[in-house]
Each structure stands twice: as C-alpha cells, then as structure tokens.
Amino acid sequence: MGESKQLHDVLLGLAENLALPTRLFVRLVANGDEDVLFTLADRDQLTLPQVRDLVAVGNPSLTGFMVRVGLVPWSEIPKEQPGRLLDAVLGGIAPAAVWRAVATDPDPEARREVAYADDAPADVITFLVRDLDLEVVASAAANPNLPPELLPHLARHPSTVVRQAVAENENASPALLAALLADGGRPAPTRCGACHRREVACADHAPGVRRVRLAAASHPAVPPAGLSAFLDASENTVTTFAARTDLPVSFLNRLATHPCDDVRTVIAANPAVPETLLRTLAADHAPEVRRAIVENPSVPLDLLTTLVANERMPGEPVPRVESATDLELRTLASSRVSQARALVADRTQLPRVLVEQLATDPDIAVAQRIAARSELAPERLAEIAERHGPPVFAAVARHPGCPSALLHWMAAHPAGTRRVLQEIASHPAARSETLLLCLDSEHLDTRRLVAAHPALALPVLESLIDAPDGSLAQAAATNPALPERVMERLITRALRE
C-alpha cells in the first residue's frame, strides 16, 4: 500500500512536469488514474491532440471539467453525454441556440446554473424570469445581463426571495433600491423564503422583508439618505455600506462611535472621513482601528508617521505612500521614525536615488524591505547581509539578482532559518552544492523546494524519486531536469501494476 501511494504521488508530479515529453503524456493518460488525469488536464497550453486523448478516456467528470474551462472545441464535445451541453454553455463555447436549449432543460438545477451565469445572453435571462421554479427566477433577477427595464416588474414579485435578488442586481436603479429599502417594496409580498414551497403562506413575512431591505442597503447605488435607519443595524449590515465615500459626515461621525470594532475599522479606512475624525479615531482602543487609519488613502502624513511608530507594520504598500509626491517621499525617507522609512521602502515604485539611500539605512526593518527590490544593484546585497546578518537573509535571497556565491554563504550560515533556506531553495541562481545544504533541513517543505529545483545534481534528484515520503518524491517528479528515461521507467512501472 505504501509503495502504491508513493508511485501515485510520483505520477502526479510527472503530470505537473513542464518537460514531460508528448509521447510520455500519452502513456500517462493510459494509466487512467483520475487524479493524474485531472492534473494533466490542468496543465497550461494543452495541445488539441492532448485534449482529445483526455476526452477519449471517457471519464464524465474529467470531460465536464475540460468543457467548462473551455479546453474542448464545440465540434469535439461529446454532446450525447448528459450534462455536456450545460458544461459547454458555462464554458462559453456553445452557440446562442444551445443556451436557449439548456434554458428549457427539465432539470431545474441546470436552469438555475444558466440563470446564474454572468455571460448568459439577455434573451435567455429574460426567458428564465418567467420560469416556474422560484430559485431560477431569483437567479435570473440578480443576473446583470437581465434588461434593466424588467427590474421594476420583478420588484413587485409576490416573493421576497425574488425581490431580494432584484436588490442585489448591479443594474438596479437608485429609485428602485430606495423603494425596496423603505419597506421591501409594494404591494406587500405574499410569499417568502420560508413558505414559497408550501401551499399555506406564512402568517408573517417580516424576516424576508428585512432581507430585502438589507440587500438594498448593501447596494452601492442606493441613495445614502435612506441608510439612516440602518446605522444601528448589525455589524454585518453596516460594514457593507460603511466604506461608501458618499455618506454624509453626520453618518460617518455616528458610525465612528459604533460599538463594533469592525464597523469602526471600516470607517477608519474610508478615504472620505474628515481629518478631524481620523485624528479622533487614532486614539481608538482597538488596534485594528488604528491600523486601518494607516491604510487610509487620505491620512495626513504626520498622523501616518505617528501611528506606524506605535503599531504593527502593514504587510502591503500603504496607499498614502503610494500616492505621495517626490517631496513627500524624500521627507519620509529621511524621517527619524524608522517605520516611516520602511513604508517608503515598501512603495511599489521608488526612485533609484531613494533605493540607494535606503540601502544604507541602519534599521533592520528598512533593510528587510529594500533588499528584495529589483532596482537595488546586486552588488549591494552582500553589504546589507553582512551589516544586518541573518534577519535580512530571506529578503536578500528574494532579490532576483542575488549572486550564487551569496546564496551559498547564507545557506551555510549556522543561524540560517527555515524561511531563509526556503527562499534560497527557490532562487533560480542557487547552485547544486547550495541546494544540498538546504536539503539537510529538517523541514519537509524546504526539502520539497530543493527536489523541484532544476539545478539539483542528477544523482541526488534520482535518489529523491524513491524517497519514502510521497510528497518529496512528487516534488522531485515535477523537476524539469528529471531525465526522460527516469520518467519512462516510472510510467512503465505504473502501467504494470
């Protein structure tokens, strides 16, 4: 059982291998293992003959997947197989007439999928809003391809389920949304999600009406004035509209004191919030609220600098720094607050003069952010690594131009961490002798990266194919440097078992 599982993992690796020869692709298909077949089907740039080989297996699930992702030309789809026409329309490769045919399928689930499809033709969606199945109608009512002039009629549908779908349609007009927001729409609904399948209606459809109103409140086109009744609603509702930049200042002030931290966090990140309110929120007891101000595109630079000095650094470039002028960037890059300088080092586009300036920064957090930047000259990396030591090794190893000798020096360093070794094992410039140092790691994920590296010495690579750990053997099988003779031997062995 163990050997069989290990061989199965190896075949999965071969199916991912970009260097798999065409003749061995065919033999791997012949193995018939479903996991392997799906992995082969997921390869980039399959040729038409390879697609035909996979379809010829006759696995309905595999064929359905390939049709839905558009791999199989319309003329080659086995249309006699149940469900293939639906797969073809959802894959965007069927003629319009096929959409209409599937829209009349006896199976309501098929019709629901068509009604939900973003690329369904408008005439098909128009047809489906008259369907006898309420869920089909609701899916069609929410579809953006439904002609907008039909939405007012559907907003008067007896069921709150359909009215909610109308409120979720991206083309719903502000006036229509305002009406649904007010009281769920007129006339009053006679059915809701709880009773639409029963002969006897519920005595009260209030929960369904509330869902309609909440859907309207969450729509970006609903007039903000109508949201006043929802400012004290649950956090799930309020957070859907708290990020809107057209909210009245009175709403923003009120939401800034909402008892829920999540609501205040959304407000703190809203670029329409006045500066005075941002400065008030900067004293909020919740750290996530204060960190959200850092992410606000409109935060004043002095407030940003104050906050980052005391809060956890963001993991992505900060919007306000992204939009900073050259003068503002130079000011931040020379700030006495090292976290402010680190924000500059994180910026997506950075003038080379600032890259060079920050490369000499004494702060480790700045060095960690500047070392991986491709604009930094590779010859500066050794200087950074020597100045700051192991804490910057991972960032240095992420630099696309990191020299092979420096990668080896860091891999051999006794203080090298798991993360450092992983970055080194992923670097295209790593030499075989460097990879062997990484292979000694006790961490399996690092060893897997080594096994997949094309610079790994062939004897070592071939030995890993027989590793008792299936995931390590699978990683070795994905290695494009794996000799063709080894690939063939493994496939032949699988076909015999």
Side-chain angles (χ1 to χ4, degrees):
M1 181 68 180
E3 287 188 14
S4 176
K5 173 65 168 61
Q6 193 263 4
L7 182 57
H8 175 264
D9 292 337
V10 167
L11 294 181
L12 287 175
L14 291 178
E16 294 180 48
N17 195 313
L18 299 178
L20 182 72
T22 300
R23 68 180 187 87
L24 294 185
F25 181 99
V26 175
R27 296 195 66 196
L28 204 49
V29 171
N31 170 259
D33 180 274
E34 188 170 74
D35 292 338
V36 173
L37 291 172
F38 270 90
T39 303
L40 289 170
D42 207 32
R43 290 169 65 97
D44 291 333
Q45 300 179 332
L46 285 176
T47 65
L48 183 55
Q50 289 173 333
V51 169
R52 288 170 175 158
D53 288 335
L54 289 167
V55 172
V57 173
N59 182 308
S61 298
L62 175 67
T63 303
F65 164 76
M66 295 177 66
V67 172
R68 288 203 180 203
V69 298
L71 288 173
V72 186
W74 170 248
S75 59
E76 308 247 349
I77 293 174
K79 303 173 185 63
E80 71 284 355
Q81 291 184 3
R84 292 299 82 83
L85 292 183
L86 175 61
D87 293 332
V89 298
L90 296 180
I93 56 175
V98 180
W99 279 96
R100 300 184 189 101
V102 179
T104 61
D105 193 296
D107 182 4
E109 184 57 41
R111 303 198 303 277
R112 287 174 206 143
E113 289 209 55
V114 172
Y116 188 76
D118 286 341
D119 52 352
D123 65 311
V124 172
I125 298 301
T126 300
F127 172 79
L128 288 172
V129 294
R130 300 190 298 270
D131 200 276
L132 296 178
D133 185 280
L134 186 70
E135 293 181 26
V136 174
V137 176
S139 294
N143 195 301
N145 294 328
L146 179 71
E149 59 269 22
L150 297 180
L151 290 173
H153 170 73
L154 290 168
R156 295 190 294 272
H157 194 281
S159 174
T160 60
V161 174
V162 176
R163 296 188 188 196
Q164 179 180 339
V166 171
E168 293 168 351
N169 191 301
E170 64 184 53
N171 297 317
S173 69
L176 182 59
L177 290 166
L180 293 172
L181 181 68
D183 55 11
R186 294 290 177 178
T190 58
R191 290 283 174 171
C192 64
C195 65
H196 76 268
R197 294 187 183 278
R198 302 201 309 249
E199 290 187 11
V200 180
C202 296
D204 182 8
H205 305 298
V209 170
R210 178 163 178 77
R211 281 190 285 272
V212 175
R213 298 181 68 207
L214 293 178
S218 302
H219 199 290
V222 70
L227 296 172
S228 59
F230 292 85
L231 297 180
D232 295 317
S234 69
E235 60 183 276
N236 291 337
T237 299
V238 177
T239 52
T240 62
F241 64 78
R244 289 181 55 157
T245 56
D246 59 350
L247 293 177
V249 174
S250 60
F251 285 15
L252 295 173
N253 285 327
R254 186 166 162 187
L255 292 174
T257 61
H258 197 282
C260 175
D261 293 351
D262 288 345
V263 173
R264 299 196 311 282
T265 297
V266 176
I267 290 297
N270 189 325
V273 170
E275 179 181 332
T276 53
L277 185 54
L278 278 182
R279 293 187 183 278
T280 299
L281 286 168
D284 196 282
H285 69 86
E288 57 267 35
V289 174
R290 302 192 299 270
R291 286 196 291 267
I293 299 175
V294 173
E295 304 285 352
N296 191 308
S298 301
V299 61
L301 287 182
D302 68 305
L303 181 57
L304 173 64
T305 302
T306 299
L307 285 170
V308 296
N310 300 292
E311 301 296 333
R312 188 179 68 205
M313 288 289 292
E316 299 291 334
V318 171
R320 181 62 184 87
V321 177
E322 290 287 286
S323 63
T325 65
D326 287 346
L327 177 59
E328 289 173 332
L329 283 177
R330 290 196 298 271
T331 301
L332 286 171
S334 302
S335 171
R336 289 182 296 179
V337 177
S338 61
Q339 294 91 334
R341 303 196 303 272
L343 291 181
V344 178
D346 255 345
R347 193 174 191 261
T348 304
Q349 300 292 329
L350 197 59
R352 183 175 292 276
V353 63
L354 291 184
V355 173
E356 293 298 324
Q357 174 185 326
L358 294 172
T360 62
D361 199 284
D363 187 78
I364 286 181
V366 177
Q368 288 172 329
R369 287 162 171 78
I370 206 70
R373 297 190 68 103
S374 60
E375 306 99 315
L376 183 66
E379 54 267 22
R380 302 295 300 276
L381 294 173
E383 173 190 332
I384 292 175
E386 290 173 2
R387 181 189 308 126
H388 297 285
V392 301
F393 283 2
V396 170
R398 281 198 303 275
H399 191 289
C402 187
S404 299
L406 182 55
L407 289 170
H408 189 83
W409 178 77
M410 292 188 295
H413 197 286
T417 64
R418 171 183 181 178
R419 183 182 173 196
V420 171
L421 294 179
Q422 287 177 353
E423 295 291 353
I424 294 172
S426 303
H427 201 289
R431 300 190 299 246
S432 181
E433 56 268 31
T434 304
L435 294 171
L436 291 178
L437 293 175
C438 298
L439 192 60
D440 285 337
S441 170
E442 62 183 15
H443 301 292
L444 184 58
D445 46 3
T446 303
R447 293 164 58 81
R448 283 195 291 259
L449 290 170
V450 173
H453 200 294
L456 186 63
L458 285 181
V460 179
L461 174 58
E462 292 185 37
S463 70
L464 293 177
I465 285 290
D466 298 317
D469 184 280
S471 66
L472 185 59
Q474 181 176 342
T478 68
N479 195 317
L482 189 67
E484 185 175 327
R485 58 176 173 76
V486 177
M487 296 184 190
E488 184 162 24
R489 171 174 61 82
L490 293 167
I491 295 173
T492 299
R493 175 182 158 196
L495 291 173
R496 286 175 179 168
E497 291 189 1

